Amino acid sequence: MKRKMKPESLMMSYGYKPELSEGAVKCPIFMTSTFAFKTAEEGKAFFELAYGLREQNKGEKLGLIYSRINNPDLEVLENRLTLWDEAEEGAVFESGMSAITTVLLEFLKPGDLLLMSHPLYGGSDHFIKKILPKYKINIVPFKAGQSKEEIISNVEKTGLADKLALIFIETPANPTNDLLDIRCCKEIAEHFSTPEKEIYLAVDNTYMGPVWQHPIRHGADLVIYSATKYIGGHSDVIAGACLGSHELIKRVKELRTFLGNMASPNTGWLLMRSLETLKLRMDTQAYNADKVAEFLIGHPAVEKIYFPGTLTEKDGEQYKIRQRQCLTNGGMISFDLKGGEKEAFIFLNSLKHIKLAVSLGGTESLAEHPATMTHSDMDPADRKELSVTEKMVRLSIGVENYEDIIYDIEQALNKISLKNEPLKINSEHKAALNLV
Ligand SMILES: *Cc1c(COP(=O)(O)O)cnc(C)c1O
């Protein structure tokens, strides 16, 4: 029997044949816009498949045509990406936003209703609320903590339940780490699906993926990534990806071909290089994040931590989702400082090693202020309701030695003048962290 290797063992070789590239062990960068056909008949056959002009014959593969349609660097990368999520097929994009917007445009049409989770990444929130309405697409939001019945009833109250076409969620949510139940969202999709029309569930898995959470296993139809974050992992490339079944990714790729928002061969090559160390990096980042969270819990300048690792059984549904869906606590920590913007800015301005920058998932630790940076575009009322306040700071934990990260955070926290508050360690939350 053939051994089923783990994805991390296959990231150096899967889907690439050295004999097709002069024996090169590594996949070269195929900097070419177009590919030569052996015969006119072959060119005709490739185009018939690319444009869906006829059914694919058994065993027939789409040949290389033109780099807006396909390119070896993108195809090998897409095949490797499918392994983590056990998806049938993948499509890579020039950014996470282009992966998200292509999915939204492909699966929604004028008059349709989109069910979306709140909060979403600022760019997704902007596209859905400010751009999709121009195309007469209606939206109904929900947030963590709402029951299935409540969400179904809210969809019905719009009077457009029969127009529901797509559910788009982000879990854990940025920046609050709120967890959403993927299985429950799939049940909502099934509730509104009919034999004529299937409602799909798309999950932005950027915060936990592709190593720490596998949405397809929990019922998602499409998994989306900003590959700029953990997949790229070195803060040196912008890219995106979408994974799912052959049937759905075929639709996504067709729109990608005509929007022309595929990634470049150079980006494909960079991401393949990144994938070789993905597991190593993410393992270290999750380990470090647990250590940093443990430190923050004990610090008197810190009021509240938003991190899956500090959930306990008392948190009910959130804790259960954490146990069921997430393989680690992730590498993103948000926390409220005692005070407001002033205290948050003193902290951010005092960091010496950790850079003050947006983005996340890279090898270096980063810190930012969601209310005035990544989430400044959000409706202030929504921000307040979702606890994205002036006192919140968000950290992306890197691969540095965790004691150095903590040293930097501690010296910056100590710059905030403290009113002699006693050091209060929440032992219950500490115990929760030690379990994982
Ligand atoms: C960064 C990010 C995006 C957008 O990705 P880009 O690569 O910047 O276009 C989408 N979703 C989440 C959760 C993100 O963090």
Side-chain angles (χ1 to χ4, degrees), residues 95-97 100 121 124 170 174 204 206 226 228-229 238-239 360:
S95 68
M97 279 314 299
I100 291 166
Y121 173 73
S124 312
E170 196 179 306
N174 177 8
D204 181 336
T206 301
S226 165
T228 310
K229 313 296 167 57
I238 299 276
L360 60 104

Side-chain angles (χ1 to χ4, degrees), residues 1-2 12 63 71 88 112-113 206 213 216 229 241 289 299 310 338 360 372 387 426:
M1 210 175 76
K2 209 169 161 223
M12 285 62 78
N71 176 286
E88 286 176 8
D112 275 351
L113 180 66
T206 301
Q213 178 172 270
I216 290 175
K229 313 296 167 57
H299 201 284
T310 48
K338 285 183 188 145
L360 60 104
T372 60
S387 317
N426 186 334

